[in-house]
């Protein structure tokens, strides 16, 4: 069993939002030839107490969503679109986590940008989970939906974006099934 005090001490905030454009980096290239995650990573994932890991991931996810909320507001304000910056919403916190995206933001033109935030303190290639609901929203609204992958969150946060179709940018491997009678 893992020591839960350790998980509570992990940093979940990057400090102040710096210049928004300098946060964005290109995404890593996907290797579609490999079918699974590295053995060392699978072993590492199995070492942790699931409840403690889930608590840590929820806290980190919320912190990452709050960070992206501020990044988006600052981006729009710097582009002289304070009208849109005031409309940016943290949908996951205000309405619940079932919308298929976390942040409602806007392009400079005023069109909606539906942002699903995935945060890690690890490197850019750290795997993450995607829900069926998120995948369905990506398919239903591909011109508006995107992932903001926030990595190196607690040290020097960087963001890359992934737009649908997700299969062109990510390896998607099913890891959970719903069982019923």
């Amino acid at each position: 069993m893992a020591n839960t005090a350790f998980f509570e001490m992990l940093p979940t905030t990057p400090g102040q939002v710096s210049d928004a454009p300098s946060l964005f980096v290109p995404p890593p290239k996907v290797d579609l030839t490999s079918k699974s995650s590295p053995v060392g990573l699978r072993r590492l994932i199995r070492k942790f107490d699931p409840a403690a890991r889930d608590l840590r991931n929820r806290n980190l996810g919320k912190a990452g969503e709050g960070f992206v909320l501020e990044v988006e507001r600052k981006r729009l304000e710097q582009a002289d679109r304070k009208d849109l910056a005031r409309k940016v919403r943290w949908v996951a916190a205000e309405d619940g986590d079932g919308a298929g995206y976390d942040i409602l933001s806007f392009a400079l033109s005023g069109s909606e940008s539906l942002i699903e935030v995935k945060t890690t303190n690890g490197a850019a290639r750290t795997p993450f989970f995607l829900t069926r609901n998120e995948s369905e929203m990506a398919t239903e609204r591909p011109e508006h939906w995107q992932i903001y992958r926030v990595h190196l969150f607690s040290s020097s946060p960087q963001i890359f974006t992934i737009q649908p179709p997700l299969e062109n940018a990510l390896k998607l491997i099913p890891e959970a099934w719903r069982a019923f009678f």
Side-chain angles (χ1 to χ4, degrees):
M1 172 102 45
N3 180 351
T4 58
F6 167 77
F7 293 115
E8 292 166 7
M9 293 180 347
L10 288 175
T12 57
T13 179
Q16 284 203 313
V17 174
S18 64
D19 182 38
S22 67
L23 293 171
F24 289 85
V25 297
K29 301 288 185 220
V30 66
D31 175 11
L32 295 174
T33 59
S34 174
K35 296 292 183 197
S36 65
S37 55
V39 173
L41 181 61
R42 287 195 304 268
R43 285 189 191 128
L44 177 66
I45 290 170
R46 279 189 245 146
K47 278 192 203 179
F48 293 111
D49 171 41
R53 182 189 62 209
D54 289 349
L55 174 64
R56 182 193 76 229
N57 286 343
R58 274 193 305 276
N59 290 338
L60 182 62
K62 287 178 185 175
E65 290 170 11
F67 177 70
V68 168
L69 181 77
E70 291 305 313
V71 166
E72 284 298 293
R73 286 179 174 158
K74 187 171 187 173
R75 176 184 64 83
L76 291 166
E77 287 171 1
Q78 288 175 342
D80 201 28
R81 291 304 311 258
K82 290 184 172 84
D83 59 321
L84 295 176
R86 285 189 296 273
K87 294 180 181 180
V88 175
R89 292 185 57 234
W90 190 348
V91 173
E94 296 172 20
D95 301 339
D97 202 24
Y101 61 96
D102 300 312
I103 307 292
L104 170 63
S105 189
F106 299 91
L108 296 180
S109 66
S111 64
E112 288 184 344
S113 180
L114 312 176
I115 302 170
E116 176 57 35
V117 181
K118 300 295 182 182
T119 307
T120 183
N121 283 323
R125 290 188 170 275
T126 304
F128 59 89
F129 290 98
L130 188 72
T131 68
R132 177 187 304 221
N133 200 26
E134 293 160 358
S135 176
E136 288 173 355
M137 183 60 69
T139 301
E140 289 170 20
R141 303 209 37 211
E143 67 283 355
H144 299 285
W145 191 93
Q146 63 185 318
I147 292 173
Y148 270 34
R149 179 56 162 155
V150 183
H151 58 286
L152 303 173
F153 182 66
S154 64
S155 58
S156 56
Q158 295 183 322
I159 301 170
F160 62 83
T161 62
I162 302 169
Q163 288 81 22
L166 299 177
E167 298 79 14
N168 291 350
L170 300 168
K171 285 185 283 185
L172 299 172
I173 301 169
E175 292 205 9
W177 291 264
R178 181 179 307 253
F180 57 92
F181 300 97

